[in-house]
Amino acid sequence: ALRANRNDPAAVSTALGRLEFDAVIDVSGLAPVQVAATTRALRDRVGHYSLVSTVTTYADEAFDLPPDALIHEDAPTVAADPDDPSPPNMARYGEQKRGCELVLLRGFGPAAALIARPGLILGPHENVHRIPYWLGRAAGGGEVIGPGHPARRFQFVDVRDLAECLVTPSLAGFAGTY
């Protein structure tokens, strides 16, 4: 296990030392400064970098669809600054995650970068509790206030399936945004 404060590029560089890897699967990059530190440290020592991003990188107009429509990977994204030095800020989650994507693409290029934009990630050790809360609340009966159109679907993925969908393609060098 390697430990470093991802907000401190020097700490990241020190922790990674001169280690080489077959691939990177970054599940914790929340701000551009974090992904920038990792991409700089590993640029010449790993051939492929996968980033778990978020559906929240899509701009509001991407969600302005009929309830049964799907958002596609080429939908408009939020404005973001890949050079933003700020630490993670959950109020700017989508913007900062998009900044992470831009940092990755700049550092590794589109041919060596895989970006996953999942909706809700559920499964063992899920600690955000958004979905369990709302499912429990709905099961309790009565009226429930919720965002969006009642017929709109939401996308979720089991964390184990997401891991499987990242490990093999990452090692095989798959690239793109999914």
Side-chain angles (χ1 to χ4, degrees):
L2 303 175
R3 298 183 193 279
N5 177 350
R6 289 200 71 186
N7 297 321
D8 179 355
V12 171
S13 182
T14 299
L16 292 171
R18 295 301 309 152
L19 295 171
E20 294 186 13
F21 301 92
D22 295 326
V24 171
I25 301 176
D26 188 342
V27 300
S28 66
L30 295 174
V33 66
Q34 296 175 332
V35 176
T38 309
T39 58
R40 271 193 306 275
L42 295 174
R43 185 171 319 180
D44 299 324
R45 296 182 282 134
V46 66
H48 189 274
Y49 195 118
S50 294
L51 174 69
V52 177
S53 187
T54 175
V55 69
T56 311
T57 62
Y58 292 113
D60 286 345
E61 59 263 27
F63 296 95
D64 190 20
L65 300 167
D68 60 342
L70 299 175
I71 297 172
H72 293 276
E73 289 85 351
D74 59 355
T77 55
V78 297
D81 178 6
D83 299 313
D84 178 1
S86 305
N89 178 341
M90 294 311 282
R92 298 176 53 223
Y93 182 68
E95 172 194 344
Q96 286 189 315
K97 287 294 265 188
R98 178 62 181 143
C100 292
E101 295 177 3
L102 296 172
V103 167
L104 171 57
L105 292 169
R106 179 171 64 193
F108 273 75
L114 186 149
I115 298 169
R117 291 182 181 154
L120 299 168
I121 303 171
L122 302 175
H125 309 290
E126 187 275 324
N127 61 2
V128 177
H129 305 296
R130 285 180 294 206
I131 296 303
Y133 168 81
W134 285 108
L135 293 176
R137 174 60 188 91
E143 289 189 26
V144 177
I145 297 174
H149 192 281
R152 169 142 338 266
R153 296 183 279 177
F154 68 92
Q155 181 187 34
F156 64 91
V157 63
D158 187 288
V159 68
R160 294 162 291 198
D161 294 331
L162 180 59
E164 186 176 325
C165 287
L166 288 173
V167 171
T168 301
S170 294
L171 292 172
F174 283 52
T177 301
Y178 302 93

